[in-house]
Amino acid sequence: MRAIKKRIVSVCVVITIFLLILTARLAELQLFRTESFGSHHINLIEESVKQRTQSVLIDDGRGSIVDRRGEPLSAGVEPSVVLFPFIKSLNWPSEKVASITGMSEGIIHSLVSRAKKPVILSKKDGAELTQSDLTKINEFKFPGVYGVMVQEKPSELSASHIIGYTAEMPVTAKKRYPDKKLPLTMKIGAAGLQKAFDAFLLPESETKLLYHVDANNNPLFGVNVKYIADSSAHYPVKIKTTLDSDMQQLTEKALTQAGIKKGGAVLIDIQSSSLLAMASKPDLNVNGSSSSLSNYMLESMKPGSIFKIVTAAAAIENGLDHPSARYNCNLNPYGGAEEDRQLGSLSFDQSFSRSCNYTFNVLSNQLIKKVPDYMETTAEKMGLVHPVGWQGTVFHYSGFKQFPEEKQGTVWSDNRDKGSPKAVAQTAIGQKDVQVTPLSIANMMATIARGGKGMEVKTAEEILYKNGISMYRFPNSELANVSIDHYTVQKLQKLLRLVVSDEKGTGVRFRTLPFEVSGKSGTAETGRKDAEGHNLINKWFAGYFPSDSPRYALVVVDADTIASKAAANQVFYDIAAGLK
């Protein structure tokens, strides 16, 4: 008997402990950790509401990115009609909705009858709507039928690499914002301007329509739909960029038509040092290859003869640009056997316009004996070594960068190579270890065109509150240590003009444009081959125009291509002609 009582007591104790544990767990779930449960900090209240509601997202609350005229680049709003599924069992005004939207009543009925979640009718579905049409829809006062402005991403993404993209990255989000409790599913900026301005673009709250449902998705409390929105007059903000949508589309079209697979183009407004257009190939595909995620206009690559501008500038500064000097341009870059291109005896100016490698071998080896660090110091003075994108302090964000992915340039990987005449000659013509970004080349052209004053490149003009008032305006900023003296700039301007005006210059094809172009071509050997064994090159053309009153600096690079298919000149021509 005593043993039975003992067993009963033991069972009661176990049951009591179990009930206490269960009670503690329920208390944790329902009282103490309802808004931040588990290691992932799940909001249990929100999740329980989601289980018994259906909703349609009107706006995710994230700030938007617009071009210099205010046209949306990331996401805009479209007049739309929202139809909730429960109306299929009601006598709703489908005929009137069809008349206002311009859509077939049969198609609308079909969409609603098959819907398991709210149906949104907008321009992409064939609904031609205006703001006044939305007013007419809402005047029906029929539950489940609403006219609203719905956030829409552009069907064709323009400036995709510079705008960037967002992604769900909970680990990164926690590191980036340790003091914020962000939902696990919240997308944050992963690249481009979305990443650079992420702290400003983060949503405060969503705008949505929702209603409570039972297990069969029927309304629980009648057919009343709630409209939930943030009433703030300040958020979300807009990032007003310097980009021009028309110029951006022109640039992207030129690259696509020319069939450039890897490379791109950069267009800069010379006077303000503002980015007008930037496009990179291959096109951005978040779910595609890693190469499509790279903005090659911010990546370092071999520039080839574009780098001769640096050697020419150093020669001018050190008095080696003698007009009477002649160079045997039938020789190869190292003064040996004949070059493939037989250019004859050329002056300094002609050597530049016709891109004679041998001349720059002679000059570089003379210069390095006279000034051992001339290449890196001159390249730095011309803005090719350090990042050139706008950076500074914005409110409490120090070191804020408008181009977060921008790489640095390099001239020498090993300073011991300065003792090798062959390595010096290769470096002087943009080979060996020379790596620069297309953005820095474009900015160098702008610096030369504006008279030698180096400026940081801006791609964002200001941050605007929701009501249009400016939160912050990015000032024009000079580039530290980037400046070319007046005499050298004048000589460089003459040389760059000669590349096009010289009947044997490498830019002669641009003489047919309705304005004069100044620039420089470049062909860099990459040391790689394609599947058929052809040598792969980086083909460049960089310049500015009109020569007598410069407005635009433009750089085009066709990377990892073969000589017979290189299309950099064609793209440069098409973009310049389209700008007029």
Side-chain angles (χ1 to χ4, degrees), residues 65-86:
I65 299 173
V66 300
D67 78 353
R68 61 180 182 167
R69 289 188 290 270
E71 294 297 318
L73 291 170
S74 57
V77 289
E78 287 281 346
S80 308
V81 175
V82 178
L83 306 173
F84 281 81
F86 62 74

Side-chain angles (χ1 to χ4, degrees), residues 261-336:
K261 305 295 184 203
K262 179 182 176 181
V266 179
L267 180 67
I268 291 176
D269 179 281
I270 288 171
Q271 294 310 312
S272 65
S273 196
S274 298
L275 185 71
L276 296 173
M278 176 184 280
S280 177
K281 291 289 185 177
D283 294 331
L284 179 66
N285 181 357
V286 177
N287 299 314
S289 65
S290 58
S291 63
S292 78
L293 301 180
S294 296
N295 184 348
Y296 286 107
M297 299 305 93
L298 303 177
E299 296 285 338
S300 296
M301 57 183 75
K302 291 184 184 296
S305 292
I306 298 283
F307 198 74
K308 287 176 182 173
I309 298 171
V310 172
T311 308
I316 293 165
E317 290 174 346
N318 287 277
L320 298 181
D321 58 327
H322 306 294
S324 59
R326 310 295 292 185
Y327 303 89
N328 183 2
C329 290
N330 288 335
L331 300 177
N332 70 22
Y334 318 114

Side-chain angles (χ1 to χ4, degrees), residues 533-553:
H534 300 114
N535 291 323
L536 294 176
I537 60 171
N538 293 339
K539 186 66 178 177
W540 300 68
F541 197 86
Y544 61 85
F545 50 89
S547 296
D548 54 356
S549 182
R551 290 182 62 194
Y552 306 111

Side-chain angles (χ1 to χ4, degrees), residues 155-289:
S155 54
E156 291 185 9
L157 290 174
S158 183
S160 57
H161 279 97
I162 187 63
I163 298 303
Y165 61 95
T166 59
E168 291 180 14
M169 302 184 295
V171 175
T172 302
K174 187 147 186 71
K175 287 180 181 176
R176 193 181 292 177
Y177 306 110
D179 299 327
K180 287 180 180 283
K181 290 184 179 180
L182 301 178
L184 283 174
T185 56
M186 179 176 285
K187 292 183 177 181
I188 61 172
L193 292 175
Q194 292 283 11
K195 179 179 179 181
F197 288 89
D198 192 49
F200 298 98
L201 295 171
L202 279 178
E204 296 290 319
S205 65
E206 298 174 331
T207 300
K208 62 174 87 171
L209 292 168
L210 62 83
Y211 69 101
H212 295 273
V213 295
D214 60 19
N216 296 316
N217 286 330
N218 295 317
L220 267 179
F221 309 116
V223 288
N224 292 320
V225 174
K226 291 183 180 179
Y227 180 82
I228 299 175
D230 185 2
S231 59
S232 171
H234 295 97
Y235 298 96
V237 302
K238 286 182 182 177
I239 308 302
K240 183 180 179 183
T241 70
T242 62
L243 298 171
D244 185 293
S245 290
D246 293 337
M247 296 180 188
Q248 181 67 34
Q249 288 171 16
L250 169 68
T251 301
E252 292 176 2
K253 182 180 178 182
L255 288 165
T256 299
Q257 288 183 336
I260 288 183
K261 305 295 184 203
K262 179 182 176 181
V266 179
L267 180 67
I268 291 176
D269 179 281
I270 288 171
Q271 294 310 312
S272 65
S273 196
S274 298
L275 185 71
L276 296 173
M278 176 184 280
S280 177
K281 291 289 185 177
D283 294 331
L284 179 66
N285 181 357
V286 177
N287 299 314
S289 65

